[in-house]
Amino acid sequence: MIEAARKAGADAADVLYMGDASTGVQVRLGELEDVERSEGEEIGLRFFAGRRSASVSSSDLSRDALDALVERAAAMAREAPEDPFSGLAPEDRLLKSGGPDVDGDDGADPLPTALKARALELEEAARAVEGVTNSEGAGVSAGRSVIALATSHGFCRGYTTSGYSASASVIAGTGASMQRDYASHSVRHYADLDPPAEIGRRAGERAVKRLNPGKLSSGRMPVVFDPRIGGSLIGHLIGAMTGSAIARKTSFLLGREEERIFAAGTVIRDEPHRRRGLRSKPFDGEGMATRPRDLVADGRITGWLLDSASARQLGLEPTGHSTRGIGGSPGAGATNVHLEPGSVSPEELIADIGQGVYVTELIGQGVNPVTGDYSRGASGFIIENGEITGPVAEITIAGNLIDMYRELAAANDLEFRRATNVPTLRIEGMTVAGA
C-alpha cells in the first residue's frame, strides 16, 4: 500500500494494520448465558500530498479494495485543507533496532470449554459468600491482536499481544437495600490470571460489605481512594499533559510547568517496556521508539506527552507517546503508569483521621479538563477515629485537581495489576456532600 500510495502521488504515507481474534464466555446463576467469538482485521492509510492529508480505512483487504482505498485517499487529500503541522514522525526518531521484548504474547489459546469452567467456578465462589442473593453474571475472555505499521520513510514493524480477563458482578441483600459490587482481573498471560475462586470471593465479599449504608455528615474532610479507583486521578493528569490539550489551551496544567504540583519527592512513572504490562509496546503509533520516563519527578511535571503533529505545533520534539486507531490522525497518551508508593501502611495513612471517607466506587464524569474542577458521585466506607467503619452510598466528593494533587499522600501498598497503578491515596480537605 505504501508503494501504491507513492505511485498515486503521495509525498509521504503510512499504513497501520490491526487484526484481532477473541473468545468470551458469560455465565449467570450457574448456567451458560453467552459465548462470543469475533475475528476481524482493518487497515488504515494516511496519504500526504504536500501540506494536505487524508485518512481512509477498510476491513476488506482484497487487492481491489486496497487499490480503491489508495485512489480514494489521493482524491480526498487533494481536496483537504492545508495543515502546516501534519506529517510523518521524524525519521531519526523511529525505532531502528529490534526493540525490547515486552513478553506481551504467551501463545496460549484456551478452549471455550476451559473459559466456561473458569467462569462457572468464579461465579460459584461469589455466590457462595454469605449474604449474596443474586448474580449479574461472570465472564472470562481470551484474545490475541497483531499490530503492524509501515511508513514511506522506511519503518516497517509489528508486534503481537495476548490478553485475558475474568470478572464477576453480584448482588447482596434484598429489596430496596440491595447492593452490588464486582471484582475483575486482566493480564497478558493466561497463567497470570488470579484463581477464579479468589476473584469470585472478592466480588461477593465486596457486595456484602456495602449492605446497610449509613449517613455521613457533609463538610470538608480527608478522602481516601482505594487503589482500584485511585488510578483515575492520574488519568486526569495524563489527559491534561497531552500535546493536543496543550496546543488547544484546554488543559488545567497550562502555565504550571515549573510549579511543584505534587508533594516533594512524588514520582509518577511511565514504563512502556514493562514485561507483560497491559500497555507495553516497543514503538508508538507513529513508529517512534518508546522509552521509560518519569512523568512527574519530585512533584513537578517533566513535560508534555507529544505526538509529532502536536510537537510541531508547540515547537518541541515528539516524545514517543503517539497513540492511534485505524482511522484519523494520531493523538498522545501514556502506557503503563504508576505512582511510586509512600512509606506508611494504609492503616497508618488513615490512623489520624477523625472523620473521613474511604472511596471504593466513583460515579459520573464530573471533571472539567480546562479548570481542573472535580465533582463526582461516590460510595465507600466511613472513616471514624482512624478506623474504617460502615458503608456509605450516594455521596458527592468535590475539589480542584491542582489542590487535590498538592494534598495527595500515598501508602506503601502499590501492586501492578492495572494499566495505571497507584497505592492507597489520601487527599486532605475535599468537600463531601453526605447522603
Side-chain angles (χ1 to χ4, degrees):
M1 285 194 70
I2 293 292
E3 294 173 358
R6 282 291 204 186
K7 291 177 181 178
D11 297 305
D14 66 8
V15 178
L16 178 67
Y17 169 89
M18 292 184 179
D20 60 75
S22 64
T23 302
V25 176
Q26 297 287 327
V27 301
R28 182 172 180 271
L29 301 177
E31 299 290 338
L32 179 65
E33 189 169 62
D34 190 29
V35 179
E36 291 186 354
R37 173 71 179 179
S38 65
E39 298 183 20
E41 54 184 356
E42 286 187 281
I43 200 162
L45 165 68
R46 282 199 304 161
F47 187 110
F48 296 91
R51 298 289 188 179
R52 306 175 189 272
S53 66
S55 297
V56 293
S57 62
S58 174
S59 57
D60 182 350
L61 272 63
S62 67
R63 173 56 57 188
D64 289 345
L66 298 185
D67 289 343
L69 198 70
V70 173
E71 293 177 7
R72 186 162 66 252
M76 291 172 60
R78 286 192 290 268
E79 301 299 324
E82 290 193 356
D83 180 356
F85 308 114
S86 68
L88 300 180
E91 188 171 353
D92 61 353
R93 301 297 300 274
L94 299 177
L95 178 65
K96 301 295 185 182
S97 64
D101 178 13
V102 298
D103 196 17
D105 186 352
D106 66 354
D109 188 18
L111 294 172
T113 50
L115 302 181
K116 175 187 174 183
R118 196 176 192 111
L120 287 169
E121 183 181 351
L122 197 165
E123 191 197 35
E124 182 180 0
R127 294 174 63 201
V129 174
E130 186 176 357
V132 171
T133 55
N134 204 344
S135 170
E136 293 185 327
V140 180
S141 65
R144 176 163 290 102
S145 299
V146 57
I147 297 170
L149 175 69
T151 73
S152 57
H153 54 8
F155 181 90
C156 187
R157 294 182 183 275
Y159 60 92
T160 62
T161 62
S162 53
Y164 308 91
S165 64
S167 64
S169 177
V170 292
I171 296 168
T174 58
S177 64
M178 289 190 297
Q179 296 290 330
R180 168 207 156 274
D181 214 321
Y182 71 96
S184 63
H185 192 209
S186 296
V187 294
R188 285 296 185 206
H189 283 221
Y190 190 57
D192 293 341
L193 266 179
D194 285 346
E198 182 179 320
I199 300 173
R201 185 177 64 254
R202 281 202 303 269
E205 290 175 349
R206 287 172 176 172
V208 171
K209 285 181 180 178
R210 294 179 63 168
L211 287 172
N212 304 312
K215 301 292 184 181
L216 178 66
S217 299
S218 299
R220 293 178 64 84
M221 64 189 72
V223 173
V224 180
F225 290 80
D226 185 89
R228 63 172 165 152
I229 53 97
S232 65
L233 298 174
I234 308 306
H236 300 314
L237 177 80
I238 292 169
M241 292 177 66
T242 60
S244 59
I246 301 304
R248 295 171 182 169
K249 301 187 183 303
T250 57
S251 168
F252 64 86
L253 293 176
L254 279 171
R256 300 183 181 274
E257 295 89 326
E258 304 302 323
E259 288 185 28
R260 179 167 277 141
I261 304 296
F262 294 83
T266 300
V267 174
I268 299 176
R269 187 160 178 80
D270 183 26
E271 293 189 327
H273 302 161
R274 183 184 301 148
R275 293 181 67 82
R276 306 189 186 186
L278 292 178
R279 292 180 182 164
S280 296
K281 54 186 178 181
F283 57 85
D284 75 355
E286 295 180 282
M288 289 184 283
T290 53
R291 295 181 177 86
R293 169 182 158 185
D294 287 344
L295 305 180
V296 171
D298 195 24
R300 292 183 171 91
I301 56 176
T302 60
W304 311 126
L305 307 180
L306 303 172
D307 59 279
S308 58
S310 63
R312 294 186 192 102
Q313 190 169 358
L314 294 169
L316 301 171
E317 291 294 316
T319 60
H321 287 92
S322 174
T323 61
R324 65 189 295 185
I326 285 293
S329 301
T335 59
N336 306 298
V337 176
H338 73 273
L339 187 151
E340 292 285 352
S343 59
V344 300
S345 68
E347 293 75 18
E348 292 171 315
L349 189 71
I350 68 172
D352 65 341
I353 296 177
Q355 183 181 53
V357 60
Y358 183 93
V359 176
T360 59
E361 184 177 28
L362 292 168
I363 304 163
Q365 304 294 327
V367 181
N368 187 323
V370 180
T371 65
D373 288 337
Y374 183 98
S375 178
R376 299 192 64 180
S379 62
F381 299 86
I382 299 170
I383 301 173
E384 293 179 302
N385 300 319
E387 299 286 340
I388 295 176
T389 58
V392 64
E394 298 179 356
I395 63 172
T396 300
I397 59 174
N400 182 277
L401 286 168
I402 293 296
D403 298 330
M404 292 163 63
Y405 292 153
R406 287 182 178 136
E407 297 294 332
L408 184 147
N412 63 1
D413 58 338
L414 176 68
E415 293 183 319
F416 293 96
R417 295 180 58 85
R418 305 167 184 87
T420 300
N421 297 282
V422 299
T424 302
L425 302 177
R426 171 176 170 172
I427 296 177
E428 299 293 330
M430 292 192 70
T431 299
V432 177

